[in-house]
Amino acid sequence: MKKVNDDRQLLLPLFAQKEMLIRSDVADADTTVVVQQASILSLFFARFIAEQSGQSMDGVLARTAAWLADMQSQGDVCLDLSLYAGLPWPGKRARAPELEAWRDELLASDCVAEPGAVSPMILDGNRLYLKRFLDYECAVAQGISSRLQQAVAMDDGCLQAELKRLFPTPDDAEPDWQMLAAAQAVTRRFSVISGGPGTGKTTSLVKVLALLLQQQPQMQIRLAAPTGKAAARMVESIRGSIEKVACDAAIKELIPTEASTLHRLLGYSPRGYRHDHNNPLLIDCLVVDEASMLDLTMAARLLAALPDQCRLILLGDRDQLASVDAGNVLGDITGHGHAIAYSPQTALRLSALSGYAEASLPVSSDASAISDAVALLRTSYRFHAQSGIGHLARMVNAGQGDGAMTLLREHAYADIAWLQEVASAALLDQISAAYTDYLQCESVDEALKAFEQVRVLCAVHGGPSGIHAVNNGLARLFYGRGLIGGLDAAHGMPVMVTANHYELGLFNGDTGLLWTVDGKLCAWFRQTDGTLKGVPVQLLPEYVPAWAVSVHKSQGSEFEQVMLLLPDQEADSPLLTRELLYTAITRAKVKLSLYADELTLRRMIARRVRRSTGLAARLGWPD
């Protein structure tokens, strides 16, 4: 233990920022745990590298190893030396070497090698990786690239007629982006349909599936999402869209209406995954919704488990938060905000299929194969022209801080309320009023439906606007008013599962209600088919109260009313980013109540998530 403490003192400046984050109590709950574990794991990895190389713990190699491991735990896939060469080490005045000297010193060690060799760390160009993460990244790039190169045999005449039937757009109208997205997805082994809330991703998907089944009725199609909540939302949306599709009843019957989590799809158990490259899934097409939550490790496992000829369709919003774990897969695939344009060859085929003139389509002679596979939906059908939520989301996404502040100050939209300074007691009163309806329901089914209409979202874990304070305050308030409790002290409390339990079919992030039915207290969860599942409270895996949840945990969900609580300007954190704010805003469908000061909002709009990865470059996007 003394050895660990001595090593920690040598590397303490490297972890200074992380420990300050923990002490200030502004981190998301999940992030706090990761940070605490990361510092220890980074320390042990640095010590391992120092011992293997025969170098000291305060040398360049050990410091770089600790920095790499620490960044990977924060979501970066690699350490880009070119970004930090010649700059101070974290928390110290001493500087890292200049780029070439840094590269030479690392490669002089047996613990660092170039691609193709076996070593704990791999230096690929200027990007330093833990070897397994380089392997994951290359596997994802290869899995996507191989599908981009595969030709798809289609009956273009039949496809053209079906597109016209499914998308009856006037000839003189602006291009129907849903129609173009469908044409892209049907004619490729790999495709992405990206768009904000209400842009018609699910509607487009259902029509894509109808088109595929029209040409191949025996096609085996599976639907999946990263979380149980996202899978349930996917099923709900698909079932609501099928009847609106203008195709034969026989084809509608073939469209799948069940979805699973990715873990369940791959057959995960504590012993590992059942499906991999040695035992692939027996499917022809896989659709993954909420792909912004897809991390690099899961993406690699997923692609390894797909047959070579299997289609892969990703749906998601490229502007949302990246995954909690390492990587930004959807962002990398879609070019991190780069304009999406078609190559002349793709534009020609889309023009022939859709009937739109090539001149009306975004075309570039420099467009890469990956750009050809990405479709952006640009029209929101949820947020109408007078929607303040829609306007605010677009301004935040575009980094327009001044415009967003003007919109909020003018109070011109009925669907947004901006409350800059609210006392803690008044805050809890306002929040509790929004939750009263579900607590007055007679049945658990009605209560769950009412509860799912409202949610408090927090950006941080601690402090007066954090998850702990809000949940504890609401529990005391509701219990004092007699709205929860009674014969069972926990009756009426919403809960979020924080640990996977595969036997019970419960997963981290699943949300339900503690409710007494026939004298027995159970946790009730809505399943993907709409039915309820009751789990005796004694059998529940670890859980927390869930009136307030983190913005990360809200991904894949939508609520009629969202109350977003942000820490004040004194609690600034790198976690408070534009993507987090945009994601939170777009969870609201009808009403957004925003509890935040102006400086915090401006900081978030100006601060973007930047994760170091090489996947975008491997897929052909410019650095």
Side-chain angles (χ1 to χ4, degrees):
M1 182 59 70
K2 182 179 184 302
K3 174 63 174 173
V4 172
N5 290 335
D6 290 344
D7 290 345
R8 188 173 177 82
Q9 289 299 316
L10 285 171
L11 290 175
L12 187 61
L14 183 62
F15 309 115
Q17 293 175 331
K18 300 295 170 302
E19 292 176 341
M20 180 177 67
L21 188 63
I22 296 168
R23 289 196 303 271
S24 65
D25 216 10
V26 301
D28 178 274
D30 299 330
T31 306
T32 302
V33 173
V34 169
V35 165
Q36 290 170 327
Q37 294 174 342
S39 295
I40 298 298
L41 291 175
S42 301
L43 170 67
F44 277 99
F45 181 66
R47 192 173 74 178
F48 166 77
I49 292 298
E51 290 174 349
Q52 293 298 309
S53 63
Q55 299 188 24
S56 66
M57 279 291 288
D58 60 350
V60 168
L61 181 64
R63 288 190 179 279
T64 304
W67 198 355
L68 169 61
D70 205 45
M71 289 187 70
Q72 185 273 314
S73 69
Q74 299 172 59
D76 293 281
V77 175
C78 58
L79 173 63
D80 190 338
L81 304 185
S82 66
L83 298 178
Y84 303 104
L87 298 179
W89 295 102
K92 286 184 68 70
R93 292 182 180 178
R95 294 177 177 271
E98 295 298 329
L99 181 58
E100 289 306 316
W102 199 357
R103 282 176 44 82
D104 291 344
E105 187 161 354
L106 292 176
L107 289 171
S109 164
D110 292 338
C111 294
V112 180
E114 293 183 299
V118 176
S119 181
M121 295 182 286
I122 303 294
L123 184 59
D124 186 5
N126 293 325
R127 295 186 176 100
L128 182 67
Y129 293 82
L130 298 175
K131 184 181 185 304
R132 67 187 181 96
F133 280 92
L134 176 62
D135 291 343
Y136 289 148
E137 187 174 276
C138 291
V140 171
Q142 175 59 32
I144 293 173
S145 297
S146 66
R147 284 174 170 78
L148 294 177
Q149 296 165 9
Q150 293 178 26
V152 177
M154 302 291 293
D155 183 337
D156 279 13
C158 176
L159 178 57
Q160 184 182 45
E162 289 300 311
L163 282 168
K164 287 296 184 182
R165 182 156 68 127
L166 293 173
F167 300 92
T169 306
D171 292 340
D172 58 349
E174 177 185 346
D176 185 335
W177 300 108
Q178 290 187 24
M179 181 185 195
L180 293 169
Q184 279 181 289
V186 170
T187 55
R188 298 181 173 279
R189 296 279 180 205
F190 175 81
S191 61
V192 178
I193 300 177
S194 177
T199 53
K201 294 188 292 295
T202 304
T203 300
S204 301
L205 170 65
V206 171
K207 294 180 180 180
V208 167
L209 298 180
L211 290 167
L212 290 173
L213 291 165
Q214 183 75 33
Q215 300 231 351
Q216 189 180 338
Q218 302 305 315
M219 179 176 285
Q220 297 297 310
I221 301 172
R222 293 288 299 273
L223 310 177
T227 67
K229 176 67 72 176
R233 283 277 310 137
M234 184 184 193
V235 167
E236 179 185 349
S237 299
I238 286 176
R239 288 178 176 173
S241 300
I242 287 178
E243 290 307 313
K244 302 174 185 176
V245 177
C247 66
D248 296 339
I251 296 298
K252 290 181 181 180
E253 288 293 323
L254 297 175
I255 296 175
T257 56
E258 297 295 334
S260 67
T261 64
L262 293 174
H263 282 81
R264 190 173 298 157
L265 174 76
L266 297 181
Y268 179 78
S269 72
R271 297 183 298 275
Y273 291 87
R274 183 167 69 253
H275 293 290
D276 56 19
H277 66 283
N278 293 317
N279 182 30
L281 293 158
L282 299 178
I283 57 176
D284 302 308
C285 177
L286 174 65
V287 181
V288 179
D289 198 9
E290 296 294 343
S292 61
M293 291 190 277
L294 187 63
D295 63 84
L296 182 66
T297 303
M298 177 53 74
R301 288 181 175 135
L302 185 65
L303 283 159
L306 295 182
D308 291 340
Q309 299 301 311
C310 180
R311 294 172 180 265
L312 177 59
I313 303 172
L314 303 182
L315 272 69
D317 185 347
R318 70 173 184 168
D319 298 315
Q320 280 191 29
L321 280 167
S323 58
V324 173
D325 293 319
N328 186 4
V329 174
L330 186 64
D332 288 339
I333 292 171
T334 56
H336 298 293
H338 278 95
I340 301 297
Y342 310 131
S343 66
Q345 296 85 350
T346 295
L348 180 63
R349 188 174 190 191
L350 289 176
S351 174
L353 290 172
S354 67
Y356 292 113
E358 287 182 66
S360 66
L361 307 179
V363 183
S364 171
S365 58
D366 296 326
S368 61
I370 190 63
S371 183
D372 277 343
V374 178
L376 292 184
L377 303 182
R378 306 158 194 243
T379 304
S380 176
Y381 300 96
R382 179 199 298 177
F383 299 130
H384 51 76
Q386 299 305 312
S387 167
I389 297 172
H391 279 296
L392 180 61
R394 286 189 290 273
M395 287 181 175
V396 168
N397 198 25
Q400 298 173 359
D402 289 341
M405 293 306 105
T406 299
L407 182 153
L408 291 172
R409 277 195 297 266
E410 290 179 349
H411 301 286
Y413 295 95
D415 57 348
I416 294 182
W418 185 27
L419 304 101
Q420 296 191 59
E421 296 181 8
V422 181
S424 297
L427 174 63
L428 287 178
D429 276 336
Q430 292 180 19
I431 293 173
S432 65
Y435 275 128
T436 302
D437 287 350
Y438 93 87
L439 291 167
Q440 296 175 342
C441 292
E442 294 292 331
S443 72
V444 64
D445 186 40
E446 293 173 344
L448 262 174
K449 289 177 181 176
F451 175 71
E452 288 299 330
Q453 302 303 307
V454 182
R455 196 69 84 248
V456 177
L457 302 183
C458 298
V460 298
H461 186 63
S465 60
I467 297 169
H468 272 335
V470 175
N471 280 325
N472 291 339
L474 286 174
R476 288 192 298 267
L477 189 151
F478 287 139
Y479 188 78
R481 294 177 181 176
L483 294 174
I484 64 172
L487 294 177
D488 292 302
H491 171 86
M493 186 173 76
V495 294
M496 175 178 286
V497 174
T498 59
N500 296 333
H501 194 302
Y502 297 95
E503 290 78 10
L504 291 175
L506 293 177
F507 297 89
N508 186 1
D510 287 352
T511 303
L513 279 179
L514 297 184
W515 206 266
T516 303
V517 177
D518 297 331
K520 186 176 183 179
L521 181 66
C522 291
W524 295 88
F525 298 87
R526 183 85 60 189
Q527 300 189 96
T528 55
D529 63 0
T531 61
L532 295 184
K533 174 173 67 177
V535 178
V537 69
Q538 299 89 343
L539 299 181
L540 273 182
E542 296 177 19
Y543 64 89
V544 293
W547 288 289
V549 299
S550 70
V551 177
H552 272 99
K553 292 293 189 185
S554 74
Q555 284 185 273
S557 300
E558 297 172 350
F559 310 100
E560 297 292 308
Q561 181 179 356
V562 165
M563 292 163 281
L564 175 60
L565 278 59
L566 299 175
D568 62 32
Q569 61 192 37
E570 299 302 322
D572 186 32
S573 163
L575 299 172
L576 302 177
T577 63
R578 181 188 305 177
E579 289 81 0
L580 185 142
L581 182 57
Y582 170 80
T583 301
I585 291 169
T586 53
R587 298 311 90 202
K589 297 172 65 176
V590 177
K591 179 72 174 181
L592 171 69
S593 297
L594 182 58
Y595 298 84
D597 62 70
E598 181 171 340
L599 181 56
T600 296
L601 289 171
R602 285 187 176 275
R603 282 172 173 168
M604 293 181 74
I605 293 170
R607 180 185 289 138
R608 302 213 64 178
V609 171
R610 298 294 184 191
R611 287 189 171 178
S612 292
T613 84
L615 180 58
R618 294 181 198 281
L619 291 174
W621 291 107
D623 283 333

